């Protein structure tokens, strides 16, 4: 059982080994052995008793694990020699580095002009090269290329069109999100390489990302263990606390949810206290406050989270939708940014964006969010079927929505005619569950349950 304090304290050092003195003349050997054995047992018993006092989250405290975070060598942006483009390139470089550095999923190294280029490249996992083109019809083209330094493999390339009157999140948001977010290109590659259930530190956080993608229940025991083990990097350890709070809620049952919320709150509060400038710590706090119906606190932490990192589409989508429900000014803009920055195959923000689009009756966006190969059933099957049911219902196609709802019910092990029980497995917010049910009833996908909120999404 998780205790309310959240995470384990450092394990105390074992008692110093007992130093046996030289045996005195006349003492029987058997007496010495018996005495030594007794002392050894007393010391061992005391050590294990003291260790038990620091028990937390079922497992005893683990030593800090090393954080091995992939690094990006960011080259200076190339451009033509005219003064306007050179100045623009300098500004874009500063904004790009600032944006990439806001993500916990990567580390940034800057190219040093006077240092040995080969040596710099050898110390990084990836290299980002960019070239800014001249102004064309009010826009600068920014050509981006990401390569893996170990193999020189071209990993990703893109062209972003930058408009001088727009801010950095609008101009560079999609590119930064694809490169550096926990669901971006680099994190996805690193997660695919993390196949050992017994890895800790950054690898554990990447395993959690994989779990969110696949909802593979077999991953839960290993995640439960590694997320309890501290990381010897203050920022990543705060992210670990935040993610552990997510994990406690996501793996809760209706029976233990209240206790899990208390434990998650203790963890997220510790995370914020340890790293108040990290977006994910405020993400965890805001989400918990929203689910508990505390709009004012949720909005405050949402503001901090977005200020810390406006380039994470999952964070923007989830908090933006909650914040909109709570009447926070500017919340709809967060949802728009999340839509622009969305990562193919990331089901959680897709579900949130679908709910927001239904609430806004934005049929054009719902069409854009319709299923594609990247949103296939291999990614979080339960969320996939819920997304498909909602999109079909929003298009007035109840007959196409019903099989997806039935598949969702089968996956979570509930009866299709008990929608509250079905959604209770994957949607922790009572308010959102009620709105989904009311919408599906209004669209004739479900029959009106006996206890359902009446307001559609």
């Amino acid at each position: 059982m998780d205790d309310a304090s959240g995470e384990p304290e450092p394990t105390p050092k074992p008692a110093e080994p007992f130093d046996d003195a030289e045996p005195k003349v006349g003492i029987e050997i058997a007496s010495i052995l018996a005495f030594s054995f007794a002392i050894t047992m007393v010391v061992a018993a005391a050590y294990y008793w003291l260790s038990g006092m620091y028990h937390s989250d079922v497992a005893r405290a683990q030593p800090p694990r090393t954080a091995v975070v992939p690094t990006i060598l960011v080259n200076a942006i190339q451009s033509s020699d005219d003064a306007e483009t050179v100045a623009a390139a300098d500004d874009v470089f500063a904004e790009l580095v600032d944006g990439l550095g806001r993500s916990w999923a990567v580390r940034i190294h800057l190219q040093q002009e006077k240092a040995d280029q080969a040596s710099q490249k050898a110390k990084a996992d990836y290299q980002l090269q960019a070239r800014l083109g001249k102004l064309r019809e009010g826009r600068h083209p920014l050509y981006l290329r990401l390569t893996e330094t170990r193999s020189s493999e071209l990993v990703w390339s893109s062209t972003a069109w930058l408009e001088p009157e727009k801010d950095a999140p609008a101009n560079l948001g999609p590119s930064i999100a694809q490169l550096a977010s926990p669901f971006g290109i680099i994190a996805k590659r690193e997660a695919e390489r993390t196949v050992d259930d017994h890895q800790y530190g950054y690898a554990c956080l990447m395993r959690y990302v994989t779990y969110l993608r696949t909802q593979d229940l077999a991953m839960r025991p290993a995640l439960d263990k590694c997320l309890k083990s501290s990381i010897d990097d203050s920022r990543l350890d705060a992210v670990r606390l935040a993610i552990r709070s997510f994990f406690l809620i996501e793996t809760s049952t209706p029976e233990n949810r209240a206790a899990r919320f208390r434990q998650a709150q203790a963890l997220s509060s510790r995370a914020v206290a340890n790293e108040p400038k990290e977006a994910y710590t405020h993400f965890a706090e805001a989400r918990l406050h929203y689910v508990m119906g505390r709009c004012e606190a949720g909005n405050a932490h949402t503001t901090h989270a977005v200020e810390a990192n406006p380039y994470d589409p999952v964070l923007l989508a989830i908090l933006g939708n909650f914040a909109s429900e709570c009447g926070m000014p500017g919340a709809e803009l967060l949802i728009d940014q999340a839509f622009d920055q969305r990562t193919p195959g990331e089901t959680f923000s897709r579900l949130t964006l679908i709910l927001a689009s239904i609430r806004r009756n934005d049929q054009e966006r719902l069409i854009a969010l319709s299923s594609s190969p990247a949103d296939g059933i291999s990614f979080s099957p339960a969320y996939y079927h819920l997304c498909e049911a909602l999109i079909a219902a929003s298009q007035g196609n109840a007959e196409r929505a019903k099989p997806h709802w039935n598949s969702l019910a089968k996956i979570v092990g509930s009866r299709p005619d008990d929608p509250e029980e079905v959604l209770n497995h994957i949607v922790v917010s009572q308010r959102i569950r009620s709105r989904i049910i009311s919408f599906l009833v209004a669209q004739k996908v479900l029959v009106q349950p006996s206890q359902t909120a009446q307001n559609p999404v």
Side-chain angles (χ1 to χ4, degrees):
M1 179 69 68
D2 303 320
D3 69 37
S5 64
E7 291 298 302
E9 297 293 334
T11 304
K13 295 181 180 180
E16 291 297 324
F18 181 81
D19 289 328
D20 289 322
E22 290 293 325
K24 296 180 180 179
V25 177
I27 297 180
E28 296 289 342
I29 297 298
S31 298
I32 296 172
L33 293 175
F35 180 71
S36 298
F37 178 75
I39 292 298
T40 300
M41 294 303 295
V42 169
V43 171
Y47 171 65
Y48 284 109
W49 179 77
L50 287 170
S51 296
M53 292 177 64
Y54 291 88
H55 171 77
S56 176
D57 275 351
V58 179
R60 285 182 168 81
Q62 299 289 334
R65 305 288 178 157
T66 301
V68 182
V69 184
T71 57
I72 308 175
L73 176 63
V74 183
N75 290 19
I77 295 178
Q78 298 179 345
S79 70
S80 58
D81 293 335
D82 64 283
E84 190 276 334
T85 306
V86 170
D90 289 341
D91 290 342
V92 171
F93 178 75
E95 292 172 345
L96 185 63
V97 169
D98 174 74
L100 293 172
R102 291 171 182 262
S103 173
W104 59 263
V106 297
R107 292 287 189 266
I108 307 304
H109 289 179
L110 301 183
Q111 183 188 38
Q112 303 296 321
E113 292 183 6
K114 297 181 179 180
D116 178 66
Q117 300 301 304
S119 175
Q120 290 186 74
K121 186 176 177 181
K123 294 178 182 178
D125 300 296
Y126 297 90
Q127 183 176 26
L128 179 63
Q129 297 170 301
R131 180 174 181 81
L132 187 70
K134 291 184 177 181
L135 200 64
R136 304 178 190 175
E137 299 180 354
R139 300 188 302 171
H140 280 286
L142 177 66
Y143 307 101
L144 296 162
R145 182 175 64 184
L146 181 74
T147 56
E148 186 178 48
T149 58
R150 287 164 287 191
S151 63
S152 297
E153 174 189 357
L154 177 63
V155 174
W156 174 85
S157 63
S158 180
T159 302
W161 289 89
L162 313 184
E163 300 179 33
E165 68 274 12
K166 291 185 176 180
D167 61 12
N171 275 329
L172 295 171
S175 299
I176 292 173
Q178 288 293 319
L179 285 165
S181 81
F183 288 89
I185 299 295
I186 293 174
K188 184 174 184 294
R189 286 172 67 88
E190 298 301 316
E192 289 171 349
R193 291 167 173 164
T194 307
V195 296
D196 184 356
D197 278 339
H198 303 289
Q199 291 182 298
Y200 291 81
Y202 178 83
C204 175
L205 306 183
M206 286 297 98
R207 291 292 284 167
Y208 175 76
V209 172
T210 300
Y211 167 75
L212 288 184
R213 287 180 179 275
T214 64
Q215 289 295 292
D216 182 358
L217 300 185
M219 296 177 66
R220 285 186 176 183
L223 278 172
D224 184 62
K225 183 178 180 181
C226 74
L227 286 173
K228 295 171 188 171
S229 185
S230 60
I231 304 174
D232 62 356
D233 177 282
S234 177
R235 182 183 186 184
L236 277 194
D237 198 57
V239 171
R240 176 190 65 84
L241 292 171
I243 285 179
R244 175 126 181 93
S245 77
F246 292 152
F247 184 75
L248 284 174
I249 300 304
E250 289 154 4
T251 58
S252 66
T253 64
E255 294 74 23
N256 69 9
R257 188 159 289 161
R260 287 291 185 90
F261 267 66
R262 290 193 296 272
Q263 295 148 15
Q265 184 75 73
L267 289 167
S268 62
S269 296
R270 269 187 66 193
V272 170
N274 292 350
E275 286 290 332
K277 299 297 186 181
E278 167 53 46
Y280 258 58
T281 66
H282 291 285
F283 184 8
E285 275 279 80
R287 187 184 179 199
L288 277 165
H289 284 302
Y290 283 136
V291 172
M292 294 178 184
R294 304 169 186 161
C295 280
E296 184 176 354
N299 289 348
H301 283 286
T302 292
T303 299
H304 290 308
V306 174
E307 286 175 351
N309 188 2
Y311 304 104
D312 188 313
V314 176
L315 180 155
L316 293 173
I318 292 175
L319 295 188
N321 199 39
F322 275 123
S324 180
E325 294 277 351
C326 284
M328 176 179 166
E332 295 297 319
L333 177 60
L334 302 183
I335 296 171
D336 292 338
Q337 290 177 343
F339 178 80
D340 292 338
Q341 297 177 16
R342 70 192 187 281
T343 303
E346 196 293 295
T347 311
F348 286 87
S349 63
R350 181 177 176 237
L351 172 61
T352 303
L353 291 170
I354 288 170
L355 293 174
S357 299
I358 290 172
R359 189 183 67 248
R360 297 159 73 170
N361 193 27
D362 190 337
Q363 291 298 320
E364 183 178 347
R365 184 164 290 183
L366 283 167
I367 292 172
L369 290 166
S370 297
S371 62
S372 67
D375 299 311
I377 195 171
S378 62
F379 293 102
S380 305
Y383 281 86
Y384 166 80
H385 285 297
L386 180 55
C387 287
E388 294 306 302
L390 288 168
I391 285 181
S394 72
Q395 297 168 345
N397 193 337
E399 293 308 308
R400 185 162 66 88
K402 289 177 181 178
H404 285 295
W405 177 262
N406 292 337
S407 295
L408 168 61
K410 183 177 180 180
I411 289 170
V412 300
S414 299
R415 300 194 330 269
D417 61 352
D418 189 350
E420 174 65 24
E421 174 65 19
V422 171
L423 292 176
N424 208 8
H425 289 277
I426 60 173
V427 179
V428 297
S429 169
Q430 175 63 57
R431 184 176 183 177
I432 292 178
R433 289 199 304 270
S434 295
R435 286 179 175 270
I436 290 174
I437 293 169
S438 294
F439 174 73
L440 293 177
V441 167
Q443 298 302 110
K444 303 187 184 312
V445 178
L446 300 177
V447 176
Q448 176 70 57
S450 58
Q451 294 182 342
T452 301
Q454 300 299 314
N455 296 325
V457 173

